[in-house]
Amino acid sequence: MSEAMLRALGAGATAAAYTALCLAVYARQRRRRTAAVREAASLSANGDTAPTLVLFASQTGQAETIAWQTARQLRAAGTSVRVMELNALDAATLGSASRALFVASTYGEGDAPDSASVFAERVMGSPVTLPSLRYAVLALGDRQYKNFCGFGRALDAWLHAAGASRDFECMEVDNSDPVALAAWQVRWGDAAIDHEDPAGAFAPWRLARRELLNAGSAGAPVFQLGLVPQAGAIPPWASGDLVQIAVASDPARPRDYSIASLPTDGQLQLLVRQEQHPDGTLGTASGLLTSTLAVGDTVALRLQAHRTFRLDGNETRPLILIGNGTGLAGLRAHLRARAAAGRCDNWLVFGERQAAHDFLCREEIEAWQASGVLGRLDMVFSRDQPERLYVQHRLLQSADALRAWLHNGAAVYVCGSLQGMASGVDAALRQIAGESLWSDLLASGRYRRDVY
Ligand SMILES: Cc1cc2nc3c(=O)[nH]c(=O)nc-3n(C[C@H](O)[C@H](O)[C@H](O)COP(=O)(O)OP(=O)(O)OC[C@H]3O[C@@H](n4cnc5c(N)ncnc54)[C@H](O)[C@@H]3O)c2cc1C
Ligand SMILES: Cc1cc2nc3c(=O)[nH]c(=O)nc-3n(C[C@H](O)[C@H](O)[C@H](O)COP(=O)(O)O)c2cc1C
């Protein structure tokens, strides 16, 4: 990335930071005026000292981060707070609360993210009355999608219909708009929202190598990239985490990529598919990464913790890793972590088009199979036989083995295409495991997805 590009990105960030700062000053003054009143109000209702619930529905972590920031602000103002993901909330807990703040993103086509899908089905799908609840919803979304803030809106409408009273109208945030986010912080106290953002700042990373992985493929080219920080040492990250890449022509919309390596590899590796627009031009970020950028050039990158896709809590379980295409990235990082930890109870189910061209990272996968790191491997090539065969079909064919792994405590990680693959895998998993185990897997963090 040129200096001019980095300057342009810096200018955008400065303007946003200035706006947030102005709102922060206003917020601080407002907080001092209202904290005492609010605190008294929250404690006085029927002598009720129940904590304010701060609830999040998050896929890639933004809503979760904002929920924790909001909770810290409320605590700093003296309010007692309980933070939970929506799937951990039941109707009785919500019914006994006097105030709840919801931070909710939207996934799929206007759907709940995974951390809220059980709540959406179990609680929002049943008759609930919440006459003593006051609430507010911060809905995160992106106007590029048809159902903008679809889940946040549905949640707000459901709460209202259940008799809960709005503290204020549902606040909608397009693409993490800093002004809208600062307005939410203003409601709950100090607007200094950025100082604990785990995503950190964009920094220049140098492209150290790039390799085409699927020469001759019927699909779009997939490249493996190796990046190193332009200055300083390799920073820490965990398998499952993401990076964001900023592009000068679209600085408001950084693109996410799943990290395919570990810090101990000495390089941050990505698997990037080169997108092409219908007019033949290359995708903005994927074109930069796979074509415009030369080896030795730098790109603006930042690490993004992806807590809901990490191994955290599942380290001692068998793992079933399912994916397609560039989804191998997130699965590969996990497999490298498992190999380093000496764990062999890993089952990889991976789909692409043709073995001859699309067996991404073949040597590494075959070496894992030979050394036993992969206790079971299913490569599913959709076009190597007359009928189309995908990973979800292989799961259905292997239903008994899948059930045995699940009953043995396995966790399921899915990475890759949301449409087709992830939805098909989800349907297969529901069918094989049954509704009850399927929702238990989701609610207990044994079913995690990085799908896009
Ligand atoms: C959590 C997550 C993880 C991800 N991980 C990976 C990964 O590991 N590897 C990977 O390759 N990708 C990954 N992605 C996808 C990645 O973030 C980008 O979305 C992808 O690379 C396309 O971005 P782009 O800027 O190249 O395309 P864009 O330029 O944004 O175009 C994307 C699409 O928008 C439409 N479009 C945009 N502009 C035009 C135009 N002018 N004319 C017509 N149509 C247009 C087209 O349909 C096009 O295909 C991930 C996404 C998420 C959310
Ligand atoms: C695959 C995918 C599907 C999405 N679908 C929608 C959608 O239908 N409507 C919407 O408003 N936003 C949609 N978004 C945008 C997210 O809601 C938005 O990026 C949000 O800030 C993510 O927050 P989180 O990190 O807490 O999950 C989608 C994002 C992705 C990656």
Side-chain angles (χ1 to χ4, degrees):
M1 170 157 304
S2 72
E3 275 186 30
M5 288 172 174
L6 283 170
R7 270 199 302 277
L9 286 170
T14 307
Y18 177 71
T19 310
L21 185 70
C22 293
L23 285 161
V25 172
Y26 168 64
R28 202 165 288 126
Q29 289 168 344
R30 192 172 185 277
R31 175 170 61 86
R32 287 191 183 128
R33 279 199 309 275
T34 57
V37 177
R38 195 186 307 131
E39 171 74 347
S42 79
L43 295 175
S44 65
N46 310 323
D48 180 7
T49 54
T52 293
L53 298 179
V54 180
L55 304 156
F56 61 86
S58 188
Q59 190 76 30
T60 53
Q62 287 168 31
E64 181 176 357
T65 301
I66 293 165
W68 282 102
Q69 285 164 342
T70 306
R72 277 196 294 271
Q73 290 169 215
L74 287 167
R75 275 199 194 114
T79 306
S80 118
V81 182
R82 185 171 172 205
V83 182
M84 294 167 84
E85 76 167 28
L86 265 186
N87 275 352
L89 180 72
D90 54 32
T93 309
L94 188 59
S96 62
S98 53
R99 189 207 249 159
L101 310 182
F102 296 81
V103 187
S105 72
T106 292
Y107 268 78
E109 292 165 5
D111 305 326
D114 289 342
S115 65
S117 57
V118 175
F119 177 87
E121 267 195 38
R122 282 191 191 160
V123 184
M124 291 172 72
S126 57
V128 175
T129 49
L130 303 165
S132 51
L133 182 72
R134 285 185 301 133
Y135 76 96
V137 176
L138 180 72
L140 307 188
D142 186 330
R143 286 197 190 276
Q144 285 200 335
Y145 292 91
K146 204 170 78 198
N147 295 308
F148 176 57
C149 288
F151 179 64
R153 288 176 181 179
L155 186 62
D156 178 61
W158 175 78
L159 288 160
H160 190 63
S165 45
R166 288 189 185 101
D167 265 349
F168 48 82
E169 290 300 305
C170 176
M171 292 175 73
E172 298 177 347
V173 182
D174 180 21
N175 192 30
S176 308
D177 174 14
V179 176
L181 288 177
W184 169 262
Q185 305 293 333
V186 162
R187 300 280 178 167
W188 310 116
D190 193 334
I193 60 171
D194 283 332
H195 61 288
E196 289 186 81
D197 182 353
F202 281 101
W205 285 59
R206 187 169 53 77
L207 181 65
R209 63 183 267 257
R210 182 170 58 213
E211 186 190 341
L212 177 65
L213 296 186
N214 60 345
S217 174
V222 173
F223 292 86
Q224 180 179 320
L225 277 68
L227 296 140
V228 289
Q230 189 181 33
I234 295 267
W237 69 81
S239 64
D241 283 351
L242 302 165
V243 295
Q244 290 196 319
I245 299 285
V247 275
S249 59
D250 193 3
R253 207 175 286 280
R255 307 298 198 271
D256 294 331
Y257 293 92
S258 317
I259 304 177
S261 62
L262 301 177
T264 45
D265 295 320
Q267 242 183 23
L268 188 147
Q269 295 178 356
L270 307 177
L271 303 183
V272 179
R273 191 176 299 273
Q274 187 177 75
E275 293 250 357
Q276 207 170 63
H277 300 148
D279 65 4
T281 57
L282 295 185
T284 311
S286 64
L288 171 75
L289 291 170
T290 61
S291 173
T292 320
L293 207 65
V295 169
D297 286 352
T298 59
V299 64
L301 179 154
R302 73 172 172 193
L303 293 166
Q304 171 101 354
H306 193 188
R307 294 205 169 75
T308 53
F309 195 66
R310 285 183 176 177
L311 292 182
D312 298 1
N314 289 326
E315 294 92 338
T316 58
R317 294 181 178 280
L319 292 192
I320 304 169
L321 303 135
I322 305 165
N324 72 333
T326 52
L328 184 60
L331 307 181
R332 179 179 184 248
H334 283 325
L335 280 166
R336 286 190 166 195
R338 299 284 280 189
R343 289 203 69 110
C344 296
D345 41 358
N346 307 302
W347 175 4
L348 175 64
V349 188
F350 180 71
E352 254 292 352
R353 286 185 174 172
Q354 296 172 296
H357 306 289
D358 302 303
F359 198 148
L360 310 178
C361 303
R362 179 175 203 146
E363 280 182 19
E364 189 170 15
I365 290 174
E366 288 183 343
W368 278 329
Q369 190 181 25
S371 66
V373 167
L374 282 172
R376 177 165 175 175
L377 172 65
D378 283 84
M379 297 296 293
V380 188
F381 292 103
S382 59
R383 300 188 180 199
D384 279 356
Q385 60 283 309
E387 77 284 10
R388 293 278 194 269
L389 201 63
Y390 299 106
V391 283
Q392 57 269 36
H393 302 131
R394 182 60 56 86
L395 294 178
L396 290 168
Q397 287 166 351
S398 316
D400 288 343
L402 190 80
R403 266 191 294 271
W405 277 62
L406 291 176
H407 286 125
N408 212 13
V412 180
Y413 283 74
V414 182
C415 193
S417 310
L418 178 63
Q419 269 164 11
M421 192 276 297
S423 49
V425 166
D426 189 64
L429 204 57
R430 280 178 97 141
Q431 187 181 324
I432 295 165
E435 289 294 316
S436 162
L437 178 56
W438 172 84
S439 55
D440 287 352
L441 291 174
L442 256 176
S444 62
R446 282 175 60 198
Y447 177 25
R448 303 188 185 192
R449 309 198 301 170
D450 171 9
V451 294
Y452 45 89

